[in-house]
Amino acid sequence: MVKKIEHHNRSGCPVACALDIIGDHWTLLIIRDLMFLGRHEYKDMLNAEEGISSNILTDRLKKLECNELVCAIPHPQSGRRKLYYLTSTGKDLIHVMIHMARWSDKHLNDLVKIPPKKRDVLVKNPEKMIQSTLEQLAAWEKKFLTGTKTCV
Amino acid sequence: MVKKIEHHNRSGCPVACALDIIGDHWTLLIIRDLMFLGRHEYKDMLNAEEGISSNILTDRLKKLECNELVCAIPHPQSGRRKLYYLTSTGKDLIHVMIHMARWSDKHLNDLVKIPPKKRDVLVKNPEKMIQSTLEQLAAWEKKFLTGTKTCV
DNA sequence: TAAAAACGCTTGCATTATGCAATTAATTGT
DNA sequence: ACAATTAATTGCATAATGCAAGCGTTTTTA
């Protein structure tokens, strides 16, 4: 079902290669939902405040699966719902995400709204934020992925 | 000439805010040219191997100037050429760039081509790479921006 | 010094991506 | 049985991008 995809692959530059996969307006917001906001279902991401449209969401989830940043399993309590989650490749984007958030907080402070507590950790102790985020994800995985055949 | 721009500003999320400025296929490649590859002129960026088209390059440089990530001065040896360079806001994206490159190197290794020496520093001592990159930029600035009225 | 090349764009137009609303088929709850 | 939910899909309007050509000026070359 999930195949390798043909990226554009504009060059061998690592920045260009990354952008061929995550360099659009929506992909990293989906990663954010999965990484920080505990949104593991289609409808959760569809209802995110940025207002992604359903065709784009479907398309991006498909591409993320093709590129093996995201994986999905059927919801244990429901035959039609799915649970999406980050693979280790996807989770490894956490450093990019954290530094992007720090950059925004520093330079776009009139636009950015972060709860003060989170902001404090983000600014003063990003490593701690990375650790606790990864722990949360691990806890979710323990709850939902144990005993099933899963992608890593 | 350079005005504040209306971003979409889809939400107050720091990731979303960053993506409203740098979340497209080309902007970060321009940042890369300015940050790592010593390309400070329009034609240099136009000739980058990824093959940006001239109208897109013009548009993105304009937006980067509006958003104060990039600044330009007339070329000292030429009346029509310009020198583009990163402001401190632009340079602060270095952490995002470095981690993006590391991610690509780790997970897209069949696609990514980095000179072994650079790769070694990138993987084993990213902080050193950040420092040396910033030093290079500072050296360029010292050479071209001293004695002129400049944006920071 | 006249002609050619270089430079930083701009324009026009075809193609592709995105946004939006409505629809669908399957599943689940009442 | 009926209505609501869910994960999409479809059709269509609009916006973004790709591509080739052109433009006005400046610099280089003959």
Side-chain angles (χ1 to χ4, degrees):
Chain A
M1 185 200 273
V2 176
K3 305 174 194 173
K4 270 286 177 189
I5 210 170
E6 18 67 77
H7 326 112
H8 225 140
N9 194 227
R10 294 173 286 183
S11 77
C13 164
V15 175
C17 289
L19 291 175
D20 286 339
I21 293 178
I22 58 167
D24 72 284
H25 293 295
W26 292 109
T27 298
L28 284 186
L29 290 184
I30 294 173
I31 303 276
R32 174 207 60 180
D33 286 345
L34 292 167
M35 190 175 276
F36 299 108
L37 301 180
R39 295 175 180 146
H40 292 272
E41 296 189 44
Y42 185 93
K43 67 171 191 302
D44 299 332
M45 306 183 212
L46 194 65
N47 295 332
E49 61 177 327
E50 288 86 9
I52 192 171
S53 45
S54 62
N55 53 350
I56 303 293
L57 177 56
T58 300
D59 178 77
R60 294 304 189 277
L61 283 170
K62 210 171 288 174
K63 285 180 178 165
L64 282 167
E65 288 190 73
C66 288
N67 289 317
E68 295 175 12
L69 277 70
V70 164
C71 220
I73 50 165
H75 193 292
Q77 264 88 51
S78 170
R80 76 193 138 172
R81 286 151 78 193
K82 282 187 186 176
L83 290 177
Y84 295 92
Y85 61 97
L86 295 168
T87 64
S88 63
T89 300
K91 284 185 284 186
D92 251 5
L93 280 171
I94 192 165
H95 303 94
V96 174
M97 302 293 282
I98 291 281
H99 283 287
M100 200 175 281
R102 281 166 63 91
W103 181 84
S104 288
D105 177 70
K106 187 171 173 187
H107 296 286
L108 314 172
N109 32 26
D110 43 340
L111 301 174
V112 172
K113 262 82 191 166
I114 317 178
K117 231 174 178 174
K118 275 202 173 178
R119 184 183 179 278
D120 220 54
V121 185
L122 177 68
V123 173
K124 292 181 184 158
N125 200 344
E127 277 307 318
K128 183 180 170 184
M129 182 146 192
I130 289 173
Q131 285 316 311
S132 66
T133 302
L134 292 177
E135 282 163 22
Q136 275 178 249
L137 294 178
W140 186 92
E141 287 165 22
K142 191 176 178 184
K143 186 170 173 188
F144 288 100
L145 303 185
T146 41
T148 39
K149 53 173 182 177
T150 58
C151 316
V152 198
Chain B
M1 186 200 270
V2 176
K3 304 175 194 173
K4 269 288 178 189
I5 211 170
E6 18 65 75
H7 326 110
H8 228 139
N9 194 227
R10 295 174 284 184
S11 76
C13 165
V15 175
C17 288
L19 292 174
D20 287 339
I21 293 177
I22 59 168
D24 73 283
H25 294 294
W26 294 110
T27 298
L28 284 185
L29 290 183
I30 294 173
I31 302 277
R32 172 206 62 180
D33 287 347
L34 292 167
M35 190 174 276
F36 300 108
L37 301 180
R39 294 177 180 145
H40 292 272
E41 296 190 41
Y42 186 93
K43 69 170 190 303
D44 300 331
M45 308 183 209
L46 194 66
N47 295 332
E49 61 177 327
E50 289 86 8
I52 191 171
S53 44
S54 62
N55 52 351
I56 303 292
L57 177 56
T58 301
D59 177 76
R60 294 305 188 276
L61 283 171
K62 210 169 288 174
K63 284 180 179 165
L64 282 167
E65 289 190 73
C66 289
N67 289 317
E68 295 175 11
L69 276 70
V70 164
C71 220
I73 51 166
H75 193 292
Q77 264 89 52
S78 171
R80 77 193 141 176
R81 286 151 77 194
K82 282 187 187 177
L83 290 176
Y84 295 92
Y85 61 96
L86 294 168
T87 64
S88 62
T89 300
K91 285 186 282 186
D92 250 6
L93 281 171
I94 192 166
H95 302 95
V96 174
M97 302 294 282
I98 291 281
H99 283 287
M100 201 175 280
R102 280 167 64 91
W103 180 84
S104 289
D105 177 70
K106 186 171 176 187
H107 297 286
L108 314 172
N109 32 25
D110 44 338
L111 300 174
V112 172
K113 262 83 191 166
I114 318 179
K117 232 173 177 175
K118 274 201 175 181
R119 183 183 179 278
D120 220 55
V121 186
L122 178 68
V123 172
K124 292 181 185 157
N125 200 344
E127 277 306 319
K128 184 181 170 183
M129 181 146 194
I130 290 173
Q131 285 316 309
S132 66
T133 302
L134 293 177
E135 281 162 22
Q136 275 178 250
L137 294 178
W140 186 93
E141 288 165 21
K142 191 175 177 183
K143 187 171 174 189
F144 288 100
L145 302 186
T146 40
T148 39
K149 53 172 181 176
T150 57
C151 316
V152 200

